[in-house]
Amino acid sequence: MEKKGLLYEGKAKKLYLTEDETLLVQEFKDDATAFNGAKKGVISGKGEYNCSISTILFEYLESYHISTHFVRRLSPTEMLVSRMEIIQLEAVIRNIATGSLVKRLPFQEGDVLEYPIFELYLKNDELGDPLVNEYHALALQLACPDEIRAMFRLTSKINAILRSYFERRGLMLVDFKLEFGREQGELVAADEISPDTCRIWDRKTHKKLDKDRFRFDMGGVDKAYQEVLERLSNA
Ligand SMILES: Nc1ncnc2c1ncn2[C@@H]1O[C@H](COP(=O)(O)OP(=O)(O)OP(=O)(O)O)[C@@H](O)[C@H]1O
Ligand SMILES: [Mg+2]
């Protein structure tokens, strides 16, 4: 599939048009940003690691009949995806307390959450992607009630599937973010699932193997992404 014009360049990926208007090429970049773009850097090899990890996870979800935008891998850093209208909300699930949750609420870092927490964030860089609830999402006309219920149901299902996949490979899926697109009235998991968008800890040592290493200058960022890929590649 040949790339045509650049449709969109984001902080971590580029989207290209193709000769088929229903398909896009999603290219993963080595560029990294954190804290709403305030921190910028490059993680060498990240584009390839994230493309590989997202491919593994989208294919795994498809094997459970979860619809994703993934069509096929094109190159080390590129995948062909279905073009979607993206719902301007980020769906987050948390299994372990960390990050903004322990800043805002009386949880301790590393607390295992008895019930996973589902959160919605508005995709709006100017406002710093604020936390919203379903009433805000409805009032802003970002999604209808059925879609918000479907986002919750799908994110929970994806969490259950991926958690055990990670666990079997000695990893904890601490939390993650999904974006959903609309396709013929159905919601489809889009964007990426990678250490940029998931928090992943080693099960035994709780070593962080995700973008938090970049956020907090912990070093070994590329090694961590590589380790996640190696472990997820194990059958
Ligand atoms: N299948 C798809 N069809 C159309 N757009 C998509 C699809 N999958 C992901 N996107 C969008 O493509 C962009 C990917 O680029 P990137 O993740 O680098 O953006 P970003 O800098 O994080 O900005 P944004 O705040 O828009 O996510 C995102 O805006 C994402 O919502
Ligand atoms: Mg993004």
Side-chain angles (χ1 to χ4, degrees):
M1 184 65 57
E2 216 175 293
K3 279 195 285 194
K4 300 270 180 188
L6 180 69
L7 173 68
Y8 179 80
E9 175 156 9
K11 297 182 288 288
K13 299 187 292 297
K14 289 182 190 175
L15 293 179
Y16 293 92
L17 298 166
T18 67
E19 60 229 24
D20 182 335
E21 64 183 24
T22 67
L23 298 173
L24 298 174
V25 172
Q26 176 164 254
E27 183 189 320
F28 291 74
K29 307 197 291 182
D30 286 352
D31 299 347
T33 62
F35 308 115
N36 195 29
K39 184 180 168 81
K40 289 193 176 71
V42 170
I43 302 170
S44 81
K46 176 170 85 77
E48 196 169 330
Y49 295 133
N50 281 358
C51 189
S52 302
I53 292 165
S54 280
T55 298
I56 291 170
L57 297 178
F58 281 138
E59 284 183 336
Y60 188 64
L61 291 175
E62 292 278 354
S63 78
Y64 280 84
H65 308 288
I66 304 256
S67 302
T68 79
H69 72 159
F70 179 80
V71 178
R72 65 173 186 271
R73 183 89 177 261
L74 293 174
S75 78
T77 58
E78 296 169 309
M79 58 172 66
L80 192 64
V81 300
S82 304
R83 184 176 186 169
M84 307 266 144
E85 184 199 341
I86 299 289
I87 295 179
Q88 294 302 303
L89 292 166
E90 299 188 340
V92 169
I93 283 230
R94 301 172 175 274
N95 297 306
I96 309 274
T98 188
S100 64
L101 189 69
V102 300
K103 287 207 194 107
R104 280 195 314 112
L105 293 169
F107 290 106
Q108 297 295 313
E109 170 81 15
D111 279 352
V112 176
L113 301 169
E114 193 83 17
Y115 301 95
I117 295 173
F118 178 69
E119 295 173 337
L120 290 171
Y121 291 85
L122 181 64
K123 270 173 65 67
N124 184 317
D125 283 343
E126 267 167 48
L127 297 176
D129 293 350
L131 179 69
V132 296
N133 67 28
E134 59 189 284
Y135 297 95
H136 297 113
L138 290 173
L140 288 165
Q141 298 186 307
L142 298 172
C144 66
D146 279 351
E147 287 177 328
I148 293 175
R149 275 191 290 275
M151 281 175 83
F152 173 60
R153 196 170 35 76
L154 280 167
T155 308
S156 302
K157 198 167 164 188
I158 291 169
N159 185 41
I161 294 167
L162 294 186
R163 256 172 91 161
S164 55
Y165 186 85
F166 278 66
E167 249 170 50
R168 292 197 296 279
R169 287 154 182 85
L171 298 169
M172 288 160 75
L173 183 58
V174 172
D175 54 39
F176 63 94
K177 181 269 289 185
L178 291 174
E179 293 184 22
F180 288 97
R182 297 184 174 95
E183 195 178 51
Q184 287 148 20
E186 291 295 315
L187 291 197
V188 175
D191 205 52
E192 68 181 298
I193 310 177
S194 75
D196 275 10
T197 62
C198 303
R199 286 200 177 92
I200 302 162
W201 295 356
D202 180 84
R203 256 184 102 176
K204 284 207 190 100
T205 64
H206 289 193
K207 181 180 173 189
K208 294 182 196 291
L209 297 169
D210 55 60
K211 203 168 88 172
D212 274 350
R213 299 200 76 82
F214 169 75
R215 287 192 186 97
F216 305 115
D217 298 316
M218 299 170 76
V221 192
D222 50 342
K223 278 270 177 303
Y225 281 57
Q226 186 185 10
E227 181 158 356
V228 170
L229 173 59
E230 275 168 13
R231 295 221 214 160
L232 294 183
S233 303
N234 291 335

